[in-house]
Structure formats: structure tokens, C-alpha cells
Amino acid sequence: MEIQRRGLMRRLVGFTWRSAVLHVLSYVVVGAASYWLIARRYWTGPEALPWLRDPEGQFVRNWFLPAQIARGILYGLALFPLRSALLKMGRLGGAVVAGLLLLVGCLAGISGDIETWVYTTTFHLRLFLAHLPEIVVQTLLYGYLLLAWERRSGELEKTAQAGVEKTL
């Protein structure tokens, strides 16, 4: 029983770590491309929205990486119970991850765009639409890469375990 518990903890920590790494990488790559190609005008210059923080300011520079690492860890913790089902779905599992993050995290979440639109005066349809392609691409990339890495990690673990059993 103790060995099973340790194995589960090892899988949880590994999955969560992979989730954090892939979230940060996909967020940085896709977010930077989106910012420079599509959304920059809402953050700087004459069309800048006054309630958005300066992306080059000290606050954002200080909190950007810790916030995204925390977000990736939380994604990993939330998705871990679904891990086996997602892996069994094959490629569709990556789309399911992306769909969950987009629909629940972005649109329907407690602080999602639906809530913002209804309860605040800061919802900005053009900003939302400018970032929507970024969110779709980033969550798809994250979902597919996470499950591919998880599949590969499971294969390596099985190979290592088979090698240990042969030597015993």
C-alpha cells in the first residue's frame, strides 16, 4: 500500500511539474506572438486601455513568471484526476484539456469573461476577440504537449520498471 501511495505521489508531482513547464513555455511563446501581432495596441499606445497594467512595467515583470508557474501547477493539480481518461482519449485528450481551460477557465469561470461582461464595466469585446486566437492556440498546444509528454513519461517508467524486474 505504501509503495502504491509513493507511486501515486511520484506521478502527481511529475504530472504537475510537466504541466507547469509546458504552461509557462506555451504561454510565453504563443502570448508573445499574439501580443506583437494582434493585441499590443490595447496595451500600449493611443488605443491602450487604461485599466490594463503596462506589460513592461515593474509589477508585471516581478509577477509574470511566478504567476504563470502557479497557474501551471494549479492546472496540473486540477487535471491530474482526469489524467488516465485523457490519456485513453488519444489526440482528442489534448482538445479536451484545451476545451476545459477555454470554456471553464476563460469563459465560464468565476472570474471569466461572462462574469466580467455581466458584473463589471471593464469587459472589452475587442480585447477579448484579440486574445481569443491566442487562448485557443495556447491551450491546444499545452493540452497536446502535456498528454504527449505524459504518455512518453509513462512509457519510460514502464521500460525502467521492466528492466528492474528482469534484474530481480
Side-chain angles (χ1 to χ4, degrees):
M1 186 58 100
E2 181 62 30
I3 292 172
Q4 285 179 328
R5 209 177 349 229
R6 275 189 272 153
L8 179 64
M9 275 309 282
R10 190 174 63 248
R11 284 192 302 276
L12 173 64
V13 169
F15 183 80
T16 303
W17 180 82
R18 287 185 284 280
S19 172
V21 168
L22 289 173
H23 169 69
V24 169
L25 291 176
S26 64
Y27 184 89
V28 167
V29 170
V30 176
S34 173
Y35 176 76
W36 288 104
L37 296 173
I38 302 170
R40 185 173 181 221
R41 68 181 194 208
Y42 296 114
W43 295 83
T44 61
E47 289 185 70
L49 299 172
W51 43 270
L52 294 175
R53 291 187 195 276
D54 176 4
E56 296 174 26
Q58 193 63 45
F59 184 87
V60 173
R61 286 193 305 197
N62 287 346
W63 286 101
F64 170 78
L65 190 56
Q68 296 315 316
I69 291 169
R71 197 173 181 190
I73 289 169
L74 291 172
Y75 285 166
L77 292 172
L79 292 170
F80 184 75
L82 304 174
R83 178 181 160 272
S84 294
L86 291 167
L87 288 169
K88 286 177 187 172
M89 291 179 194
R91 290 185 187 250
L92 183 60
V96 169
V97 170
L100 286 170
L101 296 179
L102 175 65
L103 297 175
V104 176
C106 177
L107 297 174
I110 293 170
S111 295
D113 289 316
I114 292 172
E115 293 290 303
T116 302
W117 174 65
V118 172
Y119 295 108
T120 74
T121 59
T122 59
F123 181 78
H124 192 275
L125 181 61
R126 285 187 290 164
L127 179 67
F128 167 75
L129 293 174
H131 281 288
L132 190 58
E134 169 192 357
I135 296 165
V136 170
V137 171
Q138 190 266 327
T139 57
L140 281 169
L141 184 64
Y142 165 79
Y144 282 110
L145 290 176
L146 178 63
L147 294 181
W149 195 356
E150 192 63 16
R151 238 178 253 107
R152 177 80 174 134
S153 173
E155 290 168 9
L156 292 173
E157 190 174 304
K158 285 179 188 173
T159 303
Q161 192 171 13
V164 168
E165 288 173 3
K166 277 186 179 180
T167 59
L168 295 177

